[in-house]
Amino acid sequence: MMMFKEFWVKKTLLGLGLGQFLSLLITSTGFSSSELAKKGINAPTSQSFLNYVLLAIVYGAIMLYRRKPLKAKWYYYVLLGMVDVEANFLVVKAYQYTPITSVMLLDCWSIPSVMLLTWVFLKTKYRFRKITGVVVCVAGLVMVVFSDVHAGDRAGGSNPRLGDVLVIAGSTLYAVSNVSEEFLVKNADRVELMAMLGFFGAIVSAIQISILERNELKSIHWSAGAALPFVGFSVAMFLFYSFVPVLLKTNGSTMLNLSLLTSDMWAVLIRIFAYHEKVDWMYFVAFAGVCVGLVIYSGGDKEEDQQCADVADEGAERSKHFDEEAASVSRGTTVTGSSKTGDSSKHEIVPASSTEGEVSDNKSIGKDVQGRKS
């Protein structure tokens, strides 16, 4: 029981710590995208292209060194690459129209999307408390949209409502990508997932860049101020993609999306201290609603984990009791045993003649008993 509890605590703490590291990474990508948007650079697919190339090179080299066949069908990775590229495209594009705070907070739309997808495809069951927590989070999302409309905030672009729609659409695709990655990392291999996602993601990104962003890239005046956000975005995304499968395998996609909610706090700090911008009061109400929903959801997690622990401990006690009973029965019915010296390879051999004698003696004793009763 103690070993299971210690494992659960370590696993949970590792998940929380890794989740916060990923939250900081996703905040840094948001900061880089916001900086590029302020410089008038509108190339969302190009920002993600280098990340996919790095994934393909690093993890592809590991796959070639292993020389192992694919554990999942290659066309699954093609579909995953397309979904992931478009999710990044929509969310990064949203920075042209809406503030960084709204993008970060609206990202949590992926939580109810993930829950729906895991319930339908992975057969994950959610209790009433979890559903209540998600409903409160969604209420916070609605407040964000009203916050942008109410404040008329144009700090992140010219059309915050369009940006909000883009973020919600991108978050839905992120949910599809996360659930697919959770399934593949648990049934295939993390290195294979990253290599194939990087390979097909790079191909899809290159095709999309040649169609949509070729002229945009030609018009960019490359300098340190323009190149650094590009490189910073790619490095942060590469680290994010590398560690996401670890959290998905140990804690699941819902835990990942819940952990990323704290990126909103970092986004507010960036907006206030780096950009010296004011945040509408409705945003704080929305953020408080999301936090309350997260607490409600997490409370349900702890309660269910404790129930699982109790069931596991009860099952272990029953199994132990059953083993003790089976051992006592086997000791009572054993005819031959190990020697007193403790050498289990040496057993006493009972001659056949002595066994037959014991059987005849038992029969005669039985007849004696019957004679006395009569």
Side-chain angles (χ1 to χ4, degrees), residues 121-143:
F121 295 104
L122 301 183
K123 308 303 179 184
T124 304
K125 295 182 180 179
Y126 296 97
R127 298 198 172 193
F128 178 76
R129 181 174 294 186
K130 289 179 178 291
I131 297 173
T132 303
V134 172
V135 169
V136 176
C137 287
V138 174
L141 298 181
V142 176
M143 290 292 295

Side-chain angles (χ1 to χ4, degrees), residues 91-103:
V91 172
V92 175
K93 184 74 174 177
Y95 285 97
Q96 303 290 328
Y97 303 104
T98 195
I100 182 175
T101 45
S102 296
V103 174

Side-chain angles (χ1 to χ4, degrees), residues 19 26 30 40 48 51 74-75 81 105 154 171 209 251:
I26 207 67
S48 304
N51 164 55
W74 63 271
Y75 48 82
L105 193 55
R154 299 295 185 269
S171 298
I209 289 170
N251 298 88

